[in-house]
Amino acid sequence: MTAEVLWSPSPEAVEAAAVTAFGRAAGHDRYDELWRWSVAHPGEFWAQVWHWSGVVGDPGPGPALADAAMPAAVWFPGATLNYVEQVFRAPEDRPALVCCWEGQEPGDHPVVTYGELRDRVAAVARGLAGLGVGRGDRVAAYAPNVAEVVVAFLAVTSLGAVWSCCSPDFGTAAVLDRFAQIGPTVLLAADGYRWKGAVHDRRPVVAELARSLPTLRATVLIDVVGTGPLAGTVPFAGLGTGLGLGGPTALATTPVAFDHPLWVLYSSGTTGRPKALVHGHGGIVLEHLKFLSLHAGLGPDDRFFWFTSTGWMMWNMLVGALLVGATAVLYDGSPTWPDADALWRLAASTGTTWFGTSAPFVEACMRAGTEPARAADLSKVKAVGSTGAPLGPDGFRWVYDHVGPDLLLASLSGGTDVCTAFVGPCPTLPVRAGEVQCRCLGAPVAAFDAAGQPVTGKVGELVLTGPMPSMPLFLWGDTPGADRYRASYYSTFPGVWRHGDWVEVTAAGGVVISGRSDSTLNRGGVRTGTAEIYRVVEAVGGVADSLVVDTGRLWLFVVPADGSPVVSPSLRAEIEDRLRTDLSPRHVPDEVVAVTEVPRTLNGKKLEVPVKRVLMGEPIDAVVTRGAVANPDALGTIAALAAGRRVT
């Protein structure tokens, strides 16, 4: 049964869309034909994206795709470019950043033009070079979504150095699990951040990070909330003279190879440290130009907002608005403070045209009974983006009923792994309730059954059957032969990327995401490995063992050390406090339940995925072979405990 159509573009909008012009230039008028060509002939497609977008750089002698074999596909051999060169093609007087934070008066949002941004990037790049930062060095940032961080990212990138960032609500252990892997030479850290009307001083965490990262040459403190200086740090003056090491100078960028590392992002599996994913300049430039201009329809007249922390790949996509000459709207604070209409009022006061958020935020607005279109003038908003979790049909309808009837609801899904969406919006296609509109251009998405065969109209594993240029170059610190990289994505279907989502490709060409097919946690759009949770929870004195599962609600099953049949209020409070402090508030579970034992395989592995499936209502015998389980009765105990509770 075909889902209800909630919106269709006008013929005039279809004609004016960039994807229409791009398709005609490539010889394809229909989107489905254009998509099939893009995945059947990826080299031709991505070469067309380079030339269509006017990428500044040398594309090399060709071919665009010299080797298509994953995971070591070779793109644009001999090409040179720099991400930053693409940013400063915009006129100097055009707004680049709109700077917003909690507590501002409506409309009192500082604006940084492209010309001002270029000068400030040049000044900070000069300061970083003075600290010894050069090509290939890693610079780590621990900071919120503020203009200084965008300046710092562009400065680092202009030097050919490698950027990496964590949100300041992460605790020391979670940050060190990430940054210690890459050996940063400089740490850029905020003194604090804003959340729900309070200022959070992070200087003690910054001091601990500085002591715990032996590769650091310097720690630079960014004054975000005015808590004061920190001994042993360099003051950051990124919106002034730049690190206090001299005045502005002309910006010079370092040309790098297509596959030169641009940044390191972190995505967790179910065991071990977070995966340190390395993406390249060329792959990200092409992918973000493609997605933002063709799928999001973003252009120079747009103001692009996405509510995100700097630790989520959507921050990288938000900054990517600069690649197409648009204006990025930044925000430091809670999305629901002082009330659930806060971000909608922000959209109105900043003139936002493209409003990005998460499915949980939309659902929170629904539960709160908010009326965005009544609370604020949203007449300039032409698109609402939703990601981080699947948005159901009721969420789609709510957007059209309560935000606006004539806008593109851009539901999208992809991941930190590729730093983009591979299923998402298209401004020339209709929007159907509960469905992502299409498979993105250049993204060879399929749903595979257990035998590795593509299926339509049925739920299967989301896979990519061919390469994309924004796939990771490698995992930082991986063993020879990219063993962890291969194991993470290619062990289920050899030569095919398995992403870990349940997905259905509909007969109409849309996509329905059903959730994670593995046990990775997705909290507020940030993917987190269960191992991080266990390290904190099982360090609590009253905990003998634990199991964590994300069904949309985060369930924590705990074996109390004293054999108690319940989790005492004091033990729960200690667990929550440790998770909040050592990791982040988003890691605090929704449910904490006592069990006598954690179900495990015969070789001792926790049965995370089977427990998740049991909690979602599947029979135990459908999800495990009891003979392969060391303690099968433990699964029955969990199923009985969860019976009658709401798990989704």
Side-chain angles (χ1 to χ4, degrees):
M1 179 174 160
T2 304
E4 174 189 3
V5 173
L6 301 176
W7 175 86
S8 293
S10 68
E12 294 78 14
V14 171
E15 184 65 25
V19 69
T20 298
F22 179 89
R24 287 175 179 165
H28 301 283
D29 288 328
R30 292 169 50 90
Y31 181 83
D32 57 345
E33 296 172 353
L34 182 61
W35 178 80
R36 284 194 293 270
W37 169 73
S38 76
V39 297
H41 304 280
E44 294 178 27
F45 169 73
W46 289 105
Q48 180 79 353
V49 172
W50 180 300
H51 295 296
W52 172 268
S53 303
V55 172
V56 179
D58 180 352
L65 180 56
D67 186 345
M70 296 188 289
V74 178
W75 295 95
F76 292 87
T80 56
L81 73 166
N82 188 294
Y83 180 105
V84 174
E85 283 289 348
Q86 321 311 314
V87 169
F88 293 111
R89 297 180 292 173
E92 290 192 351
D93 60 351
R94 180 176 295 160
L97 307 175
V98 178
C99 310
C100 312
W101 55 83
E102 278 189 5
Q104 281 178 309
E105 291 296 323
D108 186 19
H109 309 300
V111 173
V112 180
T113 67
Y114 274 89
E116 292 167 338
L117 181 62
R118 186 182 188 106
D119 288 344
R120 293 164 185 177
V121 169
V124 173
R126 178 183 175 186
L128 288 170
L131 294 174
V133 176
R135 182 194 294 259
D137 287 329
R138 277 77 65 205
V139 176
Y142 179 65
N145 185 16
V146 293
E148 291 88 339
V149 181
V150 178
V151 170
F153 159 63
L154 295 173
V156 168
T157 303
S158 72
L159 297 169
V162 184
W163 174 261
S164 193
C165 195
C166 278
S167 173
D169 63 346
F170 273 46
T172 306
V175 178
L176 289 175
D177 275 350
R178 291 155 172 80
F179 289 167
Q181 295 188 59
I182 65 171
T185 58
V186 171
L187 173 66
L188 297 161
D191 60 343
Y193 67 98
R194 307 169 181 89
W195 191 261
K196 292 191 175 179
V199 168
H200 296 262
D201 184 354
R202 303 308 276 168
R203 290 174 301 169
V205 177
V206 174
E208 180 62 25
L209 294 175
R211 288 191 295 268
S212 303
L213 293 169
T215 55
L216 291 180
R217 299 173 191 157
T219 298
V220 179
L221 191 70
I222 306 173
D223 180 6
V224 172
V225 295
T227 57
L230 179 64
T233 63
V234 178
F236 182 94
L239 298 187
T241 59
L243 301 183
L245 298 175
T249 186
L251 177 63
T253 58
T254 301
V256 295
F258 188 90
D259 59 356
H260 182 79
L262 170 64
W263 54 48
V264 181
L265 305 182
Y266 302 94
S267 182
S268 298
T270 57
T271 59
R273 296 178 302 174
K275 298 193 296 292
L277 301 149
V278 183
H279 296 118
H281 276 247
I284 291 297
V285 165
L286 287 185
E287 175 56 44
H288 285 191
L289 284 171
K290 178 214 75 177
F291 181 83
L292 291 169
S293 62
L294 302 183
H295 286 280
L298 206 65
D301 296 329
D302 284 304
R303 291 197 169 193
F304 185 57
F305 169 81
W306 208 289
F307 178 76
T308 177
S309 73
T310 54
W312 187 17
M313 53 87 29
M314 291 310 302
W315 182 83
N316 304 72
M317 185 70 80
L318 172 63
V319 175
L322 303 176
L323 296 172
V324 298
T327 303
V329 179
L330 314 178
Y331 179 67
D332 173 28
S334 166
T336 56
W337 189 87
D339 55 54
D341 285 322
L343 291 187
W344 303 110
R345 291 193 298 269
L346 179 74
S349 65
T350 57
T352 290
T353 61
W354 223 105
F355 180 92
T357 184
S358 65
F361 174 80
V362 172
E363 291 160 356
C365 288
M366 293 170 61
R367 290 192 298 270
T370 59
E371 296 287 348
R374 294 182 183 177
D377 179 4
L378 301 178
S379 58
K380 291 185 178 180
V381 175
K382 70 177 188 180
V384 171
S386 173
T387 191
L391 183 64
D394 288 345
F396 275 66
R397 296 186 187 96
W398 182 88
V399 169
Y400 283 105
D401 290 343
H402 300 274
V403 180
D406 188 21
L407 53 79
L408 173 67
L409 175 50
S411 181
L412 54 107
S413 184
T416 302
D417 320 78
V418 290
C419 199
T420 192
F422 30 64
V423 297
C426 179
T428 63
L429 298 177
V431 173
R432 292 182 168 87
E435 288 188 12
V436 181
Q437 286 175 282
C438 64
R439 291 174 281 187
C440 292
L441 298 174
V445 170
F448 269 17
D449 63 17
Q453 297 300 310
V455 293
T456 299
K458 297 180 180 179
V459 174
E461 288 273 5
L462 191 158
V463 300
L464 296 170
T465 59
M468 294 177 64
S470 67
M471 285 176 170
L473 304 173
F474 54 90
L475 305 186
W476 199 278
D478 208 357
T479 55
D483 292 341
R484 195 178 181 207
Y485 187 11
R486 290 178 185 273
S488 297
Y489 303 104
Y490 297 98
S491 59
T492 304
F493 307 110
V496 173
W497 173 293
R498 171 190 171 272
H499 193 63
D501 280 335
W502 295 119
V503 64
E504 176 188 344
V505 179
T506 71
V511 178
V512 178
I513 304 291
S514 302
R516 299 297 300 167
S517 65
D518 59 19
S519 56
T520 301
L521 312 178
N522 192 327
R523 301 292 284 172
V526 177
R527 292 179 64 193
T528 303
T530 54
E532 293 186 85
I533 301 283
Y534 297 141
R535 281 200 296 271
V536 174
V537 171
E538 293 171 15
V540 174
V543 176
D545 202 357
S546 65
L547 179 77
V548 65
V549 175
D550 188 0
T551 66
R553 293 179 66 77
L554 189 62
W555 289 70
L556 178 63
F557 296 95
V558 170
V559 179
D562 62 4
S564 172
V566 297
V567 177
S568 68
S570 61
L571 179 57
R572 175 165 184 159
E574 184 176 359
I575 290 170
E576 291 178 348
D577 181 65
R578 292 283 290 274
L579 287 168
R580 186 179 292 108
T581 301
D582 290 353
L583 296 177
S584 82
R586 62 173 63 90
H587 293 82
V588 175
D590 300 300
E591 302 279 354
V592 181
V593 180
V595 293
T596 56
E597 57 183 342
V598 167
R600 295 178 181 270
T601 64
L602 293 175
N603 61 6
K605 292 184 178 180
K606 299 181 183 185
L607 290 173
E608 295 166 336
V609 172
V611 167
K612 176 177 178 176
R613 293 174 64 184
V614 168
L615 290 172
M616 299 293 286
E618 294 188 54
I620 293 174
D621 289 331
V623 301
V624 295
T625 301
R626 290 177 185 261
V629 180
N631 50 350
D633 288 344
L635 268 173
T637 300
I638 286 177
L641 286 169
R645 299 196 188 204
R646 181 178 176 82
V647 300
T648 59

